[in-house]
Amino acid sequence: MSTSPSPWADYKQAILDARDDFSFVYADLEGRKPSTNGWDVALCPFHEDHNPSFAYERATGSWKCQAGCGDGTVFDYIAKTRDLSFRDSLVALGDELNIASPGGGASELTTYDYRDKDGTLLFQVVRKPPKKFSQRRPDGNGGWVWNLKGVSRVLYRLPEILARPHEPVYIVEGEKDADRLGDLGLLATTSPGGAGKWLQKYSATLAGRDVVILSDNDDPGRKHAVRIADSLVGTAASVRIVHLPGLPDKGDVSDWLNAGGTRQDLEALVADAGPYAPDTGDAGTATLPVIETHDRPLREIIADGWAAVLAENDPPGLFVTSGSLSRVRDMGYGPQIQTLDEHMATGLLAAVADWTRTRGDKTAHVRPPKEVAHDLLVNPRPDLPRLEAVVSTPVFDHDWRLVSELGFHAPSRLWLACSGQDANDIPRFPSEDEVAAARSLILDDLFVDFPFAAESDRAHAVAALFLPFTRRMFDGPTPIHLLEAPTPGSGKSLLGELVNIVAQGDAATSTTLTGNEEESRKKLTALLSTGTPVISIDNIKDGLESSQVASAITTELWSDRILGKTQMVKFPNRALWLVSSNNPKLSMEIARRCVRIRIDTGEEQPWKRSGFKHDPIREWVKQNRQQLIRAVLILIQDWVASGAEFGQDTLGSFEEWSRYMGGMLSRIGVPGFLADTDEFYANADSESQEWKAFVTAWHNRYGGRPVSAGDLLALADEEDMIPFATTGTSPQGRRIKLGKCLSMIRGRRFGDLTVGIGTNRHNKSRVYRLGENQPALYSDQEAKS
């Protein structure tokens, strides 16, 4: 028996002696970083790893996985990752280091060059007997790196494809088959990686070309052909799939040529093949594109992800709302706009493509990369459609067209969730009888049993009903429709519910507001972000003095930060605002942004009333909703057809709303629009009336002379006025409280009088005086005088 060392053992040792650092073997591992004692750590390639559990020794290449995947030499690692025998892994590393294997010469390798459009070598596919494939890229120093990390994938024989733009392109499953067709003078290509590795960008390379796909005779080959064809439809000039006759199981075009097939035979088969048409199959879903995630530039993976998303977005189901990715979802309370988070974006990507990771000859399905999901959220594509709101009834858009078809309407940026009423059923020029019947249904049925305190209250109720249908006909903000009553149980909340049922199909979910302005802001942002057509704030008990509400009402775009995000977003404010309360206390800031809808039964216990025309009214409205919608649309269309005469009365900050609503109500003979506003403001802002009376008493007592807070406190006590401004437990505390309240009305006019504040020149104390058309702030000299 020979005792001489095996030549393979010498070969192995020569490889180990050739380098003192084998980090290049592990260059494709994710999360690599130095550890201790000459070791590096990284994410393990053999299991789903989130905390680095894989380590290798740089000097020897030895490795181990702390999570239990095993350990071994550098040759074991190559064998495991490239699916090679141990001897083949020796040869693979020896070839990379230019060390001849035993018996002389390098191993039998067949290489296929992949070049960019300029002919520069990007990478090679290497075939080793019997049929093992690896990929390598130039290291820039005459050697090779056995991965494609950071390398752009391209089609095989790309320069030839670009140089012959008028010839049909044949797509096959392997480089050998492409070369065989090339030997026949045909223009052929393939994608690196074999079946299932077609990328969306390859289709863009073949835009406008005639493409023929030759399928291998096995299930993966046929699926691969269909995936390529689906990707090319709409991009290539024509697409055909040809199944070669007489192929053995797993046979390909090389087998067909070996059996006697010729170029003429192949071209005849192509001529007989009809254009490819996507087949959704029994499941109703087309074949999904495959997106490879391993060793590719992130920009390409992101681009493929977006391409898959956009390809599936016809008809549109994914939108941009206020700069964020959105969709329409019914969470049990009717369809709403839902802003996507990272988990939703990941699910979307998983639904539109198959995501894979290939190492050697092994391909595994993986989750869509979180970087791609993140990019979807932070960089929405500009070609995605914009969506502003979900509506549940036909509405008139900005061009006064009736939007009535179910689904998305791009010009108006609306999603109609329920068709409600066919536009063809609404006459373009309604007759007098149709208008009279529609008017009667609203006034004599829907609102007949509500005891409105004045004609203006009924007019404003009709205006509230019209607003969801007309909101997009005009620009500018709209006021709060304030539903109020002197006694609980009068029906104010019920009236709001009925308007909601007509507008949305069901009573909208009401909300409340607290005195916390920050919480109010968050709630308003959440409501406006859903694109709801109605915002209902019910039963405010301590008055409505929110500066956030005041700001929201007078703006068409509400700007705020979404929870968890840093950038500002803007939401259109096109909702009907309904607020209900019993004898509400309003600040003037809020009152001037309201129109009143007051209900007064004149009864001590109004909830005991009976004898209604429709009882229960909620059920009647639900059963007759379509007729009520039709009535509203007919009345609006009649106003348009009659020449759209605008109303003359206006409300400050809401001029366009006033002109439109006033004109529509005047057309149908509903009087009182914007009447009684002075009385409403006076009753709503009782403090202003008390201040006005106090200022009058002040002027009668002191004229325009400077006075102290103590003088005014004595006057208030003597006349029993402004108790809200003089509270306190001590005379000093009461003077301080009054001084603060006077500061809040500095410069405010009460009739011809203005409140002014100055400083006494001698003792530096504050003094107050009234003036006719005088500046709000007096100088020291004026205070002294």
Side-chain angles (χ1 to χ4, degrees):
M1 184 188 312
S2 173
T3 59
S4 61
S6 164
W8 286 101
D10 293 339
Y11 180 57
K12 175 184 175 182
Q13 191 60 48
I15 292 172
L16 294 175
D17 292 341
R19 294 287 291 265
D20 57 6
D21 188 337
F22 285 87
S23 296
F24 67 94
V25 176
Y26 301 94
D28 60 341
L29 292 180
E30 296 181 7
R32 289 196 307 150
K33 58 183 179 181
S35 183
T36 58
N37 300 323
W39 288 72
D40 288 351
V41 295
L43 297 179
C44 180
F46 306 125
H47 75 276
E48 190 72 23
D49 198 4
H50 301 288
N51 295 312
S53 59
F54 184 89
Y56 62 87
E57 189 177 25
R58 293 188 293 274
T60 65
S62 296
W63 62 275
K64 59 184 176 182
C65 173
Q66 301 292 347
C69 294
D71 55 23
T73 67
V74 66
F75 308 105
D76 296 322
Y77 177 79
I78 293 174
K80 191 176 179 71
T81 55
R82 303 184 193 178
D83 194 24
L84 301 175
S85 67
F86 183 79
R87 179 169 292 188
D88 286 340
S89 69
L90 288 178
V91 174
L93 189 52
D95 289 341
E96 194 163 346
L97 297 173
N98 294 316
I99 299 174
S101 62
S107 61
E108 297 181 21
L109 302 178
T110 303
T111 60
Y112 302 98
D113 292 346
Y114 280 76
R115 301 180 180 275
D116 65 15
K117 63 180 182 179
D118 299 319
T120 302
L121 180 64
L122 296 175
F123 62 92
Q124 286 183 338
V125 170
V126 180
R127 175 172 178 163
K128 303 176 182 180
K131 196 175 182 181
K132 299 289 184 180
F133 292 90
S134 299
Q135 296 167 328
R136 65 186 186 183
R137 56 185 166 91
D139 66 0
N141 297 313
W144 299 97
V145 177
W146 287 84
N147 63 66
L148 299 187
K149 193 176 185 69
V151 176
S152 179
R153 270 65 162 183
V154 296
L155 288 174
Y156 185 52
R157 304 176 73 146
L158 177 62
E160 294 178 52
I161 295 173
L162 300 178
R164 298 155 64 180
H166 303 297
E167 298 182 33
V169 179
Y170 288 78
I171 299 178
V172 292
E173 197 172 309
E175 294 85 2
K176 179 189 70 173
D177 293 339
D179 288 346
R180 287 291 301 275
L181 293 180
D183 292 340
L184 297 178
L186 298 173
L187 188 57
T189 188
T190 189
S191 57
K197 302 303 186 297
W198 185 266
L199 304 179
Q200 190 67 33
K201 72 170 187 175
Y202 301 153
S203 298
T205 301
L206 300 177
R209 304 293 292 266
D210 294 315
V211 178
V212 178
I213 305 168
L214 303 181
S215 168
D216 280 11
N217 189 32
D218 56 17
D219 190 55
R222 286 183 286 271
K223 289 182 178 179
H224 181 57
V226 170
R227 284 175 173 171
I228 296 174
D230 285 339
S231 176
L232 285 165
V233 168
T235 299
S238 67
V239 182
R240 287 176 168 82
I241 294 179
V242 175
H243 300 288
L244 298 170
L247 282 180
D249 185 41
K250 299 185 178 181
D252 54 29
V253 66
S254 294
D255 297 318
W256 184 77
L257 292 173
N258 291 338
T262 66
R263 172 174 175 166
Q264 291 72 22
D265 295 334
L266 180 57
E267 290 175 335
L269 291 171
V270 172
D272 291 339
Y276 172 77
D279 181 8
T280 58
D282 295 336
T285 56
T287 303
L288 297 178
V290 177
I291 301 178
E292 173 60 46
T293 63
H294 183 55
D295 278 351
R296 296 183 61 208
L298 180 59
R299 64 180 180 276
E300 291 187 1
I301 302 174
I302 290 175
D304 283 354
W306 268 115
V309 167
L310 295 175
E312 289 292 317
N313 206 40
D314 185 16
L318 187 68
F319 307 95
V320 173
T321 300
S322 300
S324 298
L325 213 59
S326 65
R327 59 187 178 185
V328 176
R329 284 293 183 271
D330 189 343
M331 308 306 292
Y333 304 100
Q336 291 183 334
I337 295 175
Q338 181 186 57
T339 300
L340 272 64
D341 59 22
E342 192 158 319
H343 295 292
M344 297 174 189
T346 300
L348 171 66
L349 291 168
V352 300
D354 290 331
W355 299 79
T356 61
R357 182 179 182 86
T358 301
R359 291 181 180 276
D361 291 339
K362 292 185 177 180
T363 298
H365 288 277
V366 295
R367 291 168 53 90
K370 61 182 179 181
E371 294 86 356
V372 182
H374 183 69
D375 188 80
L376 256 64
L377 298 179
V378 300
N379 297 309
R381 287 283 294 266
D383 43 352
L384 280 172
R386 266 49 179 173
L387 177 64
E388 288 187 357
V390 176
V391 294
S392 300
T393 66
V395 297
F396 289 87
D397 67 10
H398 196 271
D399 296 321
W400 297 12
R401 295 171 301 194
L402 186 58
V403 175
S404 62
E405 294 182 2
L406 191 67
F408 178 62
H409 296 262
S412 56
R413 298 183 177 182
L414 292 176
W415 181 283
L416 181 57
C418 178
S419 59
Q421 186 73 46
D422 187 352
N424 295 325
D425 191 39
I426 308 302
R428 186 175 180 185
F429 298 95
S431 67
E432 291 184 6
D433 289 343
E434 289 172 322
V435 172
R439 181 183 186 278
S440 178
L441 189 64
I442 301 302
L443 300 181
D444 302 330
D445 285 281
L446 178 62
F447 292 148
V448 66
D449 287 321
F450 288 93
F452 296 107
E455 287 184 337
S456 60
D457 300 301
R458 184 179 71 159
H460 299 154
V462 178
L465 179 66
F466 280 15
L467 186 56
F469 299 87
T470 61
R471 184 61 186 89
R472 283 158 186 80
M473 295 179 74
F474 58 89
D475 297 322
T478 62
I480 293 171
H481 292 70
L482 180 65
L483 301 158
E484 62 167 65
T487 309
S490 298
K492 61 186 183 306
S493 296
L494 175 61
L495 177 60
E497 284 185 45
L498 300 187
V499 172
N500 270 300
I501 292 171
V502 176
Q504 302 194 85
D506 204 348
T509 302
S510 296
T511 189
T512 58
L513 293 178
T514 67
N516 188 315
E517 288 287 72
E518 179 66 16
E519 291 300 317
S520 295
R521 179 188 60 79
K522 292 179 181 178
K523 183 168 287 189
L524 294 178
T525 299
L527 289 169
L528 291 169
S529 69
T530 65
T532 179
V534 181
I535 293 177
S536 183
I537 303 173
D538 197 21
N539 286 320
I540 55 172
K541 296 181 180 180
D542 298 323
L544 185 59
E545 301 182 1
S546 170
S547 62
Q548 298 293 336
V549 173
S551 176
I553 285 297
T554 51
T555 182
E556 284 193 274
L557 287 175
W558 175 255
S559 180
D560 193 16
R561 286 187 176 90
I562 293 292
L563 186 64
K565 295 186 176 182
T566 56
Q567 75 270 25
M568 297 292 291
V569 294
K570 294 182 178 180
F571 300 105
N573 174 20
R574 296 187 179 277
L576 162 65
W577 291 70
L578 293 175
V579 175
S580 66
S581 182
N582 295 313
N583 289 331
K585 176 185 176 183
L586 307 175
S587 67
M588 181 54 71
E589 184 182 31
I590 292 294
R592 72 177 185 84
R593 291 168 166 83
C594 294
V595 290
R596 187 191 71 178
I597 305 174
R598 185 172 179 82
I599 298 173
D600 189 354
T601 65
E603 299 182 10
E604 183 179 357
Q605 296 178 316
W607 57 87
K608 292 183 177 181
R609 289 191 305 146
S610 61
F612 301 113
K613 182 175 183 178
H614 301 294
D615 193 10
I617 185 65
R618 291 184 185 87
E619 295 306 315
W620 181 85
V621 171
K622 290 179 180 178
Q623 293 171 5
N624 293 274
R625 180 173 180 253
Q626 297 306 318
Q627 290 79 6
L628 289 165
I629 292 173
R630 185 174 188 274
V632 173
L633 295 175
I634 283 177
L635 295 177
I636 298 169
Q637 182 61 43
D638 175 64
W639 175 76
V640 172
S642 68
E645 184 175 347
F646 294 111
Q648 299 302 310
D649 296 318
T650 60
L651 183 64
S653 301
F654 308 105
E655 290 81 6
E656 284 297 284
W657 170 84
S658 303
R659 295 172 68 236
Y660 276 72
M661 290 297 108
M664 292 177 190
L665 295 179
S666 176
R667 174 66 182 173
I668 62 176
V670 176
F673 181 67
L674 292 184
D676 301 321
T677 53
D678 291 340
E679 175 191 349
F680 166 60
Y681 293 156
N683 293 333
D685 189 21
S686 59
E687 285 188 6
S688 291
Q689 301 306 312
E690 293 186 49
W691 274 118
K692 186 174 182 179
F694 178 72
V695 167
T696 301
W698 174 1
H699 187 260
N700 291 338
R701 175 72 60 88
Y702 297 108
R705 299 194 307 275
V707 294
S708 68
D711 295 330
L712 296 177
L713 178 60
L715 174 63
D717 288 344
E718 180 182 334
E719 300 291 339
D720 192 21
M721 290 180 168
I722 55 171
F724 57 86
T726 60
T727 58
T729 59
S730 67
Q732 177 67 13
R734 296 180 69 208
R735 286 194 298 272
I736 293 174
K737 176 63 181 294
L738 178 58
K740 290 181 178 179
C741 290
L742 289 169
S743 295
M744 294 176 65
I745 62 170
R746 181 179 59 184
R748 186 168 168 181
R749 295 183 61 84
F750 297 92
D752 294 331
L753 300 174
T754 303
V755 177
I757 302 176
T759 304
N760 187 299
R761 185 174 182 180
H762 298 290
N763 60 19
K764 306 302 181 183
S765 64
R766 284 216 164 178
V767 292
Y768 309 86
R769 81 174 187 180
L770 298 174
E772 297 183 4
N773 300 319
Q774 295 296 320
L777 182 63
Y778 295 99
S779 66
D780 289 345
Q781 183 62 38
E782 291 173 316
K784 180 181 178 182
S785 64

